[in-house]
Amino acid sequence: MEAVNQSMVSEFTILGLCNSWELQAFLLVMFTFLYLITILGNIFIVLLIVTDLRLHYPMYFLLANLSFIDFFLSSVTTPKMITDFLKENKTISFGGCMCQIFFGHFLGGGEMVSLVSMAYDRYVAICKPLHYTSIMNRQMCIGLVMTSWIIGFVHSISQLAVIIKLPFCGPRELDSFFCDIPLVIKLACTDTYIQEMLINADSGVLATICFILLLVSYSFILFTVCLHSKDGVSKALSTCTAHITVVVLFFGPCIFIYLWPLSITWVDKFLAVFYAVITPLLNPAIYTLRNKEIKNAIKRLQC
């Protein structure tokens, strides 16, 4: 009975990014502005791709899915962080904390697989151009999108199943601006070595498989373009730069937050902000700003 009572935690205290009220006021304005741009930008990209018939191609269908995921991913933690800047006592309920963990990993895992899907699409387009239409048909595109959501869900529910049954009876302070497994699991009043190994293995396997598939795809693309193009490396890099940039920006913080053995608080906070706030804004911007078809579609709207 005592163990049951220990696990009935009503809320956690969030320490946030900083203690200075002046800095919090500045961050409130800055993150509110970035969040609005992220939401409006991702919605705009989805609507643009859906309404413009000239963008009804596999690459843009997958890009719309990425923007759709980023729209929700930015909303998992940012609104809570913004409102907490206005509060002296920052808390989150146990249920709210578990929801942040679930949706963060659900959408994060889905985005990893979506990036692999987009890399596969570019691989087929560049390495097998004559078979592109037959391979990247409607069924394949829907299958890739559904796979990203299913894998994200399975990854998230497996992570949540490990942590939700842990007893919490000690300190309840989270030295961050949102709930995440590496922080929450440290507050459990029991030995969590096995749980940490299971969680790291789960996250590590998904991230490693996705990263290897991405490396393989872009290696084939670079090799093919270098082999058949006069411009060689320069054209290959131009083709892949946007995708590779997004991959580095997304997987870099993930590797340090979830797989890096050392933990430095201010570094973890910076990477968490980058992952949760900046990445959902940069992903669609990087793809669209370097894409002529998207630019042309925007110009057609203005006419």
Side-chain angles (χ1 to χ4, degrees), residues 235-264:
K235 184 174 288 186
L237 291 176
S238 176
T239 302
C240 301
T241 296
H243 290 231
I244 294 173
T245 302
V246 170
V247 168
V248 171
L249 291 176
F250 185 80
F251 278 89
C254 288
I255 290 172
F256 276 90
I257 292 173
Y258 299 109
L259 302 179
W260 194 254
L262 300 178
S263 179
I264 304 174

PDB file of all heavy atoms in Angstrom, residues 235-264:
ATOM      1  N   LYS A 235      26.885  19.749 -57.715  1.00  0.00           N
ATOM      2  CA  LYS A 235      25.458  19.533 -57.959  1.00  0.00           C
ATOM      3  C   LYS A 235      24.873  18.569 -56.926  1.00  0.00           C
ATOM      4  O   LYS A 235      23.734  18.732 -56.487  1.00  0.00           O
ATOM      5  CB  LYS A 235      25.242  18.991 -59.365  1.00  0.00           C
ATOM      6  CG  LYS A 235      23.780  18.823 -59.727  1.00  0.00           C
ATOM      7  CD  LYS A 235      23.578  18.432 -61.184  1.00  0.00           C
ATOM      8  CE  LYS A 235      23.877  19.600 -62.104  1.00  0.00           C
ATOM      9  NZ  LYS A 235      23.551  19.303 -63.514  1.00  0.00           N
ATOM     10  N   ALA A 236      25.638  17.553 -56.557  1.00  0.00           N
ATOM     11  CA  ALA A 236      25.166  16.599 -55.546  1.00  0.00           C
ATOM     12  C   ALA A 236      24.924  17.291 -54.213  1.00  0.00           C
ATOM     13  O   ALA A 236      23.909  17.080 -53.553  1.00  0.00           O
ATOM     14  CB  ALA A 236      26.177  15.475 -55.381  1.00  0.00           C
ATOM     15  N   LEU A 237      25.884  18.140 -53.832  1.00  0.00           N
ATOM     16  CA  LEU A 237      25.728  18.863 -52.570  1.00  0.00           C
ATOM     17  C   LEU A 237      24.557  19.828 -52.631  1.00  0.00           C
ATOM     18  O   LEU A 237      23.824  20.012 -51.652  1.00  0.00           O
ATOM     19  CB  LEU A 237      27.021  19.618 -52.242  1.00  0.00           C
ATOM     20  CG  LEU A 237      28.227  18.752 -51.872  1.00  0.00           C
ATOM     21  CD1 LEU A 237      29.460  19.613 -51.667  1.00  0.00           C
ATOM     22  CD2 LEU A 237      27.939  17.933 -50.626  1.00  0.00           C
ATOM     23  N   SER A 238      24.356  20.459 -53.790  1.00  0.00           N
ATOM     24  CA  SER A 238      23.235  21.374 -53.941  1.00  0.00           C
ATOM     25  C   SER A 238      21.910  20.638 -53.802  1.00  0.00           C
ATOM     26  O   SER A 238      20.957  21.155 -53.223  1.00  0.00           O
ATOM     27  CB  SER A 238      23.304  22.058 -55.317  1.00  0.00           C
ATOM     28  OG  SER A 238      22.191  22.882 -55.523  1.00  0.00           O
ATOM     29  N   THR A 239      21.856  19.416 -54.320  1.00  0.00           N
ATOM     30  CA  THR A 239      20.626  18.623 -54.257  1.00  0.00           C
ATOM     31  C   THR A 239      20.306  18.209 -52.826  1.00  0.00           C
ATOM     32  O   THR A 239      19.148  18.197 -52.406  1.00  0.00           O
ATOM     33  CB  THR A 239      20.768  17.354 -55.125  1.00  0.00           C
ATOM     34  OG1 THR A 239      21.062  17.750 -56.462  1.00  0.00           O
ATOM     35  CG2 THR A 239      19.486  16.543 -55.117  1.00  0.00           C
ATOM     36  N   CYS A 240      21.347  17.851 -52.068  1.00  0.00           N
ATOM     37  CA  CYS A 240      21.132  17.244 -50.753  1.00  0.00           C
ATOM     38  C   CYS A 240      21.300  18.196 -49.575  1.00  0.00           C
ATOM     39  O   CYS A 240      21.031  17.808 -48.438  1.00  0.00           O
ATOM     40  CB  CYS A 240      22.102  16.075 -50.570  1.00  0.00           C
ATOM     41  SG  CYS A 240      21.953  14.783 -51.807  1.00  0.00           S
ATOM     42  N   THR A 241      21.764  19.404 -49.824  1.00  0.00           N
ATOM     43  CA  THR A 241      22.094  20.312 -48.729  1.00  0.00           C
ATOM     44  C   THR A 241      20.925  20.542 -47.776  1.00  0.00           C
ATOM     45  O   THR A 241      21.077  20.455 -46.547  1.00  0.00           O
ATOM     46  CB  THR A 241      22.574  21.675 -49.275  1.00  0.00           C
ATOM     47  OG1 THR A 241      23.790  21.481 -50.003  1.00  0.00           O
ATOM     48  CG2 THR A 241      22.821  22.645 -48.144  1.00  0.00           C
ATOM     49  N   ALA A 242      19.754  20.836 -48.327  1.00  0.00           N
ATOM     50  CA  ALA A 242      18.589  21.116 -47.476  1.00  0.00           C
ATOM     51  C   ALA A 242      18.240  19.915 -46.612  1.00  0.00           C
ATOM     52  O   ALA A 242      18.024  20.048 -45.397  1.00  0.00           O
ATOM     53  CB  ALA A 242      17.396  21.504 -48.348  1.00  0.00           C
ATOM     54  N   HIS A 243      18.203  18.729 -47.229  1.00  0.00           N
ATOM     55  CA  HIS A 243      17.851  17.527 -46.472  1.00  0.00           C
ATOM     56  C   HIS A 243      18.880  17.232 -45.391  1.00  0.00           C
ATOM     57  O   HIS A 243      18.531  16.930 -44.251  1.00  0.00           O
ATOM     58  CB  HIS A 243      17.747  16.332 -47.426  1.00  0.00           C
ATOM     59  CG  HIS A 243      16.562  16.398 -48.333  1.00  0.00           C
ATOM     60  ND1 HIS A 243      15.672  15.357 -48.478  1.00  0.00           N
ATOM     61  CD2 HIS A 243      16.105  17.376 -49.139  1.00  0.00           C
ATOM     62  CE1 HIS A 243      14.732  15.686 -49.340  1.00  0.00           C
ATOM     63  NE2 HIS A 243      14.982  16.908 -49.761  1.00  0.00           N
ATOM     64  N   ILE A 244      20.167  17.299 -45.752  1.00  0.00           N
ATOM     65  CA  ILE A 244      21.221  16.991 -44.797  1.00  0.00           C
ATOM     66  C   ILE A 244      21.232  17.991 -43.646  1.00  0.00           C
ATOM     67  O   ILE A 244      21.444  17.632 -42.486  1.00  0.00           O
ATOM     68  CB  ILE A 244      22.595  16.969 -45.507  1.00  0.00           C
ATOM     69  CG1 ILE A 244      22.649  15.795 -46.506  1.00  0.00           C
ATOM     70  CG2 ILE A 244      23.728  16.851 -44.497  1.00  0.00           C
ATOM     71  CD1 ILE A 244      23.897  15.782 -47.364  1.00  0.00           C
ATOM     72  N   THR A 245      20.964  19.256 -43.948  1.00  0.00           N
ATOM     73  CA  THR A 245      20.899  20.288 -42.904  1.00  0.00           C
ATOM     74  C   THR A 245      19.808  19.973 -41.891  1.00  0.00           C
ATOM     75  O   THR A 245      20.027  20.049 -40.673  1.00  0.00           O
ATOM     76  CB  THR A 245      20.633  21.676 -43.521  1.00  0.00           C
ATOM     77  OG1 THR A 245      21.658  21.985 -44.466  1.00  0.00           O
ATOM     78  CG2 THR A 245      20.596  22.746 -42.442  1.00  0.00           C
ATOM     79  N   VAL A 246      18.627  19.598 -42.381  1.00  0.00           N
ATOM     80  CA  VAL A 246      17.522  19.253 -41.495  1.00  0.00           C
ATOM     81  C   VAL A 246      17.865  18.035 -40.641  1.00  0.00           C
ATOM     82  O   VAL A 246      17.573  17.988 -39.441  1.00  0.00           O
ATOM     83  CB  VAL A 246      16.233  18.995 -42.312  1.00  0.00           C
ATOM     84  CG1 VAL A 246      15.153  18.392 -41.430  1.00  0.00           C
ATOM     85  CG2 VAL A 246      15.742  20.290 -42.927  1.00  0.00           C
ATOM     86  N   VAL A 247      18.496  17.040 -41.256  1.00  0.00           N
ATOM     87  CA  VAL A 247      18.872  15.823 -40.531  1.00  0.00           C
ATOM     88  C   VAL A 247      19.834  16.153 -39.391  1.00  0.00           C
ATOM     89  O   VAL A 247      19.669  15.687 -38.260  1.00  0.00           O
ATOM     90  CB  VAL A 247      19.516  14.802 -41.497  1.00  0.00           C
ATOM     91  CG1 VAL A 247      20.176  13.668 -40.717  1.00  0.00           C
ATOM     92  CG2 VAL A 247      18.462  14.243 -42.440  1.00  0.00           C
ATOM     93  N   VAL A 248      20.849  16.969 -39.668  1.00  0.00           N
ATOM     94  CA  VAL A 248      21.830  17.344 -38.649  1.00  0.00           C
ATOM     95  C   VAL A 248      21.167  18.136 -37.523  1.00  0.00           C
ATOM     96  O   VAL A 248      21.409  17.880 -36.334  1.00  0.00           O
ATOM     97  CB  VAL A 248      22.978  18.160 -39.275  1.00  0.00           C
ATOM     98  CG1 VAL A 248      23.883  18.738 -38.189  1.00  0.00           C
ATOM     99  CG2 VAL A 248      23.787  17.294 -40.227  1.00  0.00           C
ATOM    100  N   LEU A 249      20.302  19.088 -37.891  1.00  0.00           N
ATOM    101  CA  LEU A 249      19.634  19.917 -36.885  1.00  0.00           C
ATOM    102  C   LEU A 249      18.693  19.103 -36.005  1.00  0.00           C
ATOM    103  O   LEU A 249      18.523  19.402 -34.824  1.00  0.00           O
ATOM    104  CB  LEU A 249      18.846  21.040 -37.570  1.00  0.00           C
ATOM    105  CG  LEU A 249      19.666  22.130 -38.259  1.00  0.00           C
ATOM    106  CD1 LEU A 249      18.755  23.113 -38.976  1.00  0.00           C
ATOM    107  CD2 LEU A 249      20.542  22.877 -37.256  1.00  0.00           C
ATOM    108  N   PHE A 250      18.094  18.060 -36.580  1.00  0.00           N
ATOM    109  CA  PHE A 250      17.147  17.262 -35.808  1.00  0.00           C
ATOM    110  C   PHE A 250      17.839  16.190 -34.979  1.00  0.00           C
ATOM    111  O   PHE A 250      17.564  16.035 -33.794  1.00  0.00           O
ATOM    112  CB  PHE A 250      16.131  16.602 -36.744  1.00  0.00           C
ATOM    113  CG  PHE A 250      15.048  15.855 -36.017  1.00  0.00           C
ATOM    114  CD1 PHE A 250      13.963  16.529 -35.467  1.00  0.00           C
ATOM    115  CD2 PHE A 250      15.113  14.479 -35.864  1.00  0.00           C
ATOM    116  CE1 PHE A 250      12.968  15.845 -34.788  1.00  0.00           C
ATOM    117  CE2 PHE A 250      14.123  13.790 -35.186  1.00  0.00           C
ATOM    118  CZ  PHE A 250      13.043  14.473 -34.646  1.00  0.00           C
ATOM    119  N   PHE A 251      18.767  15.439 -35.597  1.00  0.00           N
ATOM    120  CA  PHE A 251      19.395  14.323 -34.900  1.00  0.00           C
ATOM    121  C   PHE A 251      20.485  14.779 -33.929  1.00  0.00           C
ATOM    122  O   PHE A 251      20.734  14.096 -32.934  1.00  0.00           O
ATOM    123  CB  PHE A 251      19.989  13.345 -35.915  1.00  0.00           C
ATOM    124  CG  PHE A 251      18.981  12.394 -36.485  1.00  0.00           C
ATOM    125  CD1 PHE A 251      18.261  12.732 -37.619  1.00  0.00           C
ATOM    126  CD2 PHE A 251      18.737  11.170 -35.886  1.00  0.00           C
ATOM    127  CE1 PHE A 251      17.311  11.870 -38.150  1.00  0.00           C
ATOM    128  CE2 PHE A 251      17.799  10.295 -36.409  1.00  0.00           C
ATOM    129  CZ  PHE A 251      17.089  10.635 -37.544  1.00  0.00           C
ATOM    130  N   GLY A 252      21.130  15.934 -34.207  1.00  0.00           N
ATOM    131  CA  GLY A 252      22.185  16.409 -33.313  1.00  0.00           C
ATOM    132  C   GLY A 252      21.726  16.570 -31.878  1.00  0.00           C
ATOM    133  O   GLY A 252      22.275  15.930 -30.964  1.00  0.00           O
ATOM    134  N   PRO A 253      20.703  17.413 -31.623  1.00  0.00           N
ATOM    135  CA  PRO A 253      20.214  17.556 -30.246  1.00  0.00           C
ATOM    136  C   PRO A 253      19.693  16.253 -29.657  1.00  0.00           C
ATOM    137  O   PRO A 253      19.880  15.991 -28.465  1.00  0.00           O
ATOM    138  CB  PRO A 253      19.084  18.584 -30.397  1.00  0.00           C
ATOM    139  CG  PRO A 253      19.427  19.355 -31.622  1.00  0.00           C
ATOM    140  CD  PRO A 253      20.064  18.364 -32.543  1.00  0.00           C
ATOM    141  N   CYS A 254      19.037  15.415 -30.466  1.00  0.00           N
ATOM    142  CA  CYS A 254      18.503  14.139 -29.964  1.00  0.00           C
ATOM    143  C   CYS A 254      19.613  13.251 -29.429  1.00  0.00           C
ATOM    144  O   CYS A 254      19.472  12.628 -28.370  1.00  0.00           O
ATOM    145  CB  CYS A 254      17.747  13.409 -31.072  1.00  0.00           C
ATOM    146  SG  CYS A 254      16.170  14.152 -31.500  1.00  0.00           S
ATOM    147  N   ILE A 255      20.721  13.169 -30.165  1.00  0.00           N
ATOM    148  CA  ILE A 255      21.826  12.318 -29.752  1.00  0.00           C
ATOM    149  C   ILE A 255      22.409  12.798 -28.420  1.00  0.00           C
ATOM    150  O   ILE A 255      22.668  12.002 -27.514  1.00  0.00           O
ATOM    151  CB  ILE A 255      22.918  12.305 -30.843  1.00  0.00           C
ATOM    152  CG1 ILE A 255      22.405  11.549 -32.072  1.00  0.00           C
ATOM    153  CG2 ILE A 255      24.198  11.661 -30.310  1.00  0.00           C
ATOM    154  CD1 ILE A 255      23.322  11.633 -33.270  1.00  0.00           C
ATOM    155  N   PHE A 256      22.576  14.119 -28.277  1.00  0.00           N
ATOM    156  CA  PHE A 256      23.151  14.648 -27.041  1.00  0.00           C
ATOM    157  C   PHE A 256      22.188  14.516 -25.865  1.00  0.00           C
ATOM    158  O   PHE A 256      22.607  14.229 -24.738  1.00  0.00           O
ATOM    159  CB  PHE A 256      23.562  16.110 -27.225  1.00  0.00           C
ATOM    160  CG  PHE A 256      24.914  16.274 -27.839  1.00  0.00           C
ATOM    161  CD1 PHE A 256      25.055  16.363 -29.218  1.00  0.00           C
ATOM    162  CD2 PHE A 256      26.049  16.338 -27.048  1.00  0.00           C
ATOM    163  CE1 PHE A 256      26.309  16.511 -29.802  1.00  0.00           C
ATOM    164  CE2 PHE A 256      27.307  16.486 -27.613  1.00  0.00           C
ATOM    165  CZ  PHE A 256      27.434  16.571 -28.993  1.00  0.00           C
ATOM    166  N   ILE A 257      20.899  14.726 -26.106  1.00  0.00           N
ATOM    167  CA  ILE A 257      19.930  14.691 -25.010  1.00  0.00           C
ATOM    168  C   ILE A 257      19.682  13.279 -24.519  1.00  0.00           C
ATOM    169  O   ILE A 257      19.632  13.015 -23.311  1.00  0.00           O
ATOM    170  CB  ILE A 257      18.600  15.338 -25.447  1.00  0.00           C
ATOM    171  CG1 ILE A 257      18.785  16.840 -25.655  1.00  0.00           C
ATOM    172  CG2 ILE A 257      17.509  15.103 -24.396  1.00  0.00           C
ATOM    173  CD1 ILE A 257      17.569  17.529 -26.248  1.00  0.00           C
ATOM    174  N   TYR A 258      19.522  12.324 -25.439  1.00  0.00           N
ATOM    175  CA  TYR A 258      19.074  10.985 -25.063  1.00  0.00           C
ATOM    176  C   TYR A 258      20.181   9.937 -25.035  1.00  0.00           C
ATOM    177  O   TYR A 258      20.050   8.932 -24.337  1.00  0.00           O
ATOM    178  CB  TYR A 258      17.963  10.526 -26.009  1.00  0.00           C
ATOM    179  CG  TYR A 258      16.764  11.415 -25.963  1.00  0.00           C
ATOM    180  CD1 TYR A 258      16.450  12.252 -27.030  1.00  0.00           C
ATOM    181  CD2 TYR A 258      15.940  11.449 -24.847  1.00  0.00           C
ATOM    182  CE1 TYR A 258      15.355  13.098 -26.990  1.00  0.00           C
ATOM    183  CE2 TYR A 258      14.839  12.290 -24.796  1.00  0.00           C
ATOM    184  CZ  TYR A 258      14.556  13.114 -25.869  1.00  0.00           C
ATOM    185  OH  TYR A 258      13.477  13.942 -25.824  1.00  0.00           O
ATOM    186  N   LEU A 259      21.261  10.133 -25.793  1.00  0.00           N
ATOM    187  CA  LEU A 259      22.265   9.078 -25.897  1.00  0.00           C
ATOM    188  C   LEU A 259      23.628   9.476 -25.326  1.00  0.00           C
ATOM    189  O   LEU A 259      24.452   8.619 -25.050  1.00  0.00           O
ATOM    190  CB  LEU A 259      22.436   8.664 -27.370  1.00  0.00           C
ATOM    191  CG  LEU A 259      21.164   8.159 -28.073  1.00  0.00           C
ATOM    192  CD1 LEU A 259      21.471   7.803 -29.513  1.00  0.00           C
ATOM    193  CD2 LEU A 259      20.581   6.950 -27.342  1.00  0.00           C
ATOM    194  N   TRP A 260      23.871  10.785 -25.145  1.00  0.00           N
ATOM    195  CA  TRP A 260      25.170  11.215 -24.633  1.00  0.00           C
ATOM    196  C   TRP A 260      25.259  10.899 -23.139  1.00  0.00           C
ATOM    197  O   TRP A 260      24.359  11.253 -22.374  1.00  0.00           O
ATOM    198  CB  TRP A 260      25.351  12.704 -24.861  1.00  0.00           C
ATOM    199  CG  TRP A 260      26.764  13.189 -24.692  1.00  0.00           C
ATOM    200  CD1 TRP A 260      27.262  13.908 -23.651  1.00  0.00           C
ATOM    201  CD2 TRP A 260      27.852  12.966 -25.593  1.00  0.00           C
ATOM    202  NE1 TRP A 260      28.606  14.167 -23.852  1.00  0.00           N
ATOM    203  CE2 TRP A 260      28.996  13.599 -25.034  1.00  0.00           C
ATOM    204  CE3 TRP A 260      27.981  12.292 -26.812  1.00  0.00           C
ATOM    205  CZ2 TRP A 260      30.239  13.573 -25.670  1.00  0.00           C
ATOM    206  CZ3 TRP A 260      29.221  12.274 -27.437  1.00  0.00           C
ATOM    207  CH2 TRP A 260      30.328  12.907 -26.866  1.00  0.00           C
ATOM    208  N   PRO A 261      26.311  10.214 -22.676  1.00  0.00           N
ATOM    209  CA  PRO A 261      26.384   9.784 -21.269  1.00  0.00           C
ATOM    210  C   PRO A 261      26.525  10.926 -20.276  1.00  0.00           C
ATOM    211  O   PRO A 261      26.066  10.826 -19.141  1.00  0.00           O
ATOM    212  CB  PRO A 261      27.625   8.877 -21.245  1.00  0.00           C
ATOM    213  CG  PRO A 261      28.454   9.323 -22.414  1.00  0.00           C
ATOM    214  CD  PRO A 261      27.468   9.757 -23.463  1.00  0.00           C
ATOM    215  N   LEU A 262      27.197  12.030 -20.670  1.00  0.00           N
ATOM    216  CA  LEU A 262      27.396  13.151 -19.761  1.00  0.00           C
ATOM    217  C   LEU A 262      26.214  14.106 -19.814  1.00  0.00           C
ATOM    218  O   LEU A 262      25.604  14.290 -20.859  1.00  0.00           O
ATOM    219  CB  LEU A 262      28.691  13.895 -20.124  1.00  0.00           C
ATOM    220  CG  LEU A 262      29.985  13.073 -20.056  1.00  0.00           C
ATOM    221  CD1 LEU A 262      31.161  13.918 -20.495  1.00  0.00           C
ATOM    222  CD2 LEU A 262      30.210  12.518 -18.655  1.00  0.00           C
ATOM    223  N   SER A 263      25.906  14.732 -18.688  1.00  0.00           N
ATOM    224  CA  SER A 263      24.785  15.671 -18.623  1.00  0.00           C
ATOM    225  C   SER A 263      25.263  17.008 -18.062  1.00  0.00           C
ATOM    226  O   SER A 263      25.702  17.089 -16.914  1.00  0.00           O
ATOM    227  CB  SER A 263      23.675  15.106 -17.730  1.00  0.00           C
ATOM    228  OG  SER A 263      22.596  16.010 -17.642  1.00  0.00           O
ATOM    229  N   ILE A 264      25.186  18.043 -18.896  1.00  0.00           N
ATOM    230  CA  ILE A 264      25.520  19.406 -18.473  1.00  0.00           C
ATOM    231  C   ILE A 264      24.242  20.226 -18.583  1.00  0.00           C
ATOM    232  O   ILE A 264      23.672  20.369 -19.666  1.00  0.00           O
ATOM    233  CB  ILE A 264      26.625  20.009 -19.362  1.00  0.00           C
ATOM    234  CG1 ILE A 264      27.864  19.092 -19.360  1.00  0.00           C
ATOM    235  CG2 ILE A 264      26.988  21.406 -18.893  1.00  0.00           C
ATOM    236  CD1 ILE A 264      28.946  19.522 -20.314  1.00  0.00           C
TER     237      ILE A 264
END
